[in-house]
Amino acid sequence: MNKALGIDIGGTKISYALIDNNGKILNEVEKISTPKTVDEIVNVLKNIISKFEQDIEFVAIATAGAVNNENTGVIGSTANLACGYKDIDFQSLSNKKVFIENDANAAAWAEYRIGAAQGYNNSIMLTLGTGVGGGIIING
């Protein structure tokens, strides 16, 4: 069974858990406060990843802010994340492939694939937390 480490980085907390290829969460979701500096964020992410790296095929990170088209990095961060957050080299955090996606887009895709929007070709997801976001699925 393929496993991924799913990490959600928000303005106030970082949540993470192991996930199987069907989207099932395999352990208790753990949460910690989002550090205030880039160096602390990088250290926290490295520590989280090192705990699971032997058991996973890749790391999937959902984050506030704009993500590049290659899903490898952040190109625009939000004001509630540390200055320099967009400059983090996420690929260097693991020996495994690291995928990055905007958190609202990730939530929209998850609902479309395995959640409340499953079976529908079109859906809209609004996220309300420290920030506000949204994702749209059109024609699948």
Side-chain angles (χ1 to χ4, degrees):
M1 176 180 298
N2 300 335
K3 294 180 196 169
L5 173 59
I7 302 173
D8 178 35
I9 304 172
T12 57
K13 71 179 178 315
I14 296 174
S15 304
Y16 58 96
L18 285 177
I19 302 165
D20 72 13
N21 53 343
N22 294 316
K24 181 180 178 189
I25 298 173
L26 301 175
N27 63 316
E28 187 76 25
V29 175
E30 298 185 51
K31 299 175 185 179
I32 59 171
S33 296
T34 303
K36 301 297 180 201
T37 70
V38 168
D39 289 339
E40 291 172 319
I41 291 171
V42 168
N43 287 335
V44 163
L45 293 174
K46 283 182 178 179
N47 289 336
I48 292 168
I49 292 168
S50 70
K51 289 194 300 188
F52 299 98
E53 197 162 27
Q54 301 268 350
D55 301 320
I56 61 172
E57 284 197 41
F58 60 91
V59 178
I61 297 177
T63 183
V67 173
N68 65 21
N69 289 334
E70 295 79 28
N71 296 96
T72 58
V74 175
I75 57 174
S77 64
T78 59
N80 56 357
L81 289 167
C83 182
Y85 178 76
K86 70 181 184 72
D87 300 320
I88 293 174
D89 179 7
F90 289 96
Q91 302 309 303
S92 71
L93 299 174
S94 177
N95 293 324
K96 307 291 174 83
K97 178 70 177 159
V98 178
F99 293 92
I100 313 292
E101 182 55 87
N102 170 270
D103 55 357
N105 287 345
W109 187 251
E111 291 296 341
Y112 170 72
R113 295 292 299 188
I114 61 172
Q118 190 174 16
Y120 294 94
N121 285 328
N122 304 294
S123 63
I124 297 174
M125 165 64 107
L126 298 176
T127 59
L128 303 171
T130 307
V132 177
I136 302 172
I137 305 292
I138 300 172
N139 295 326

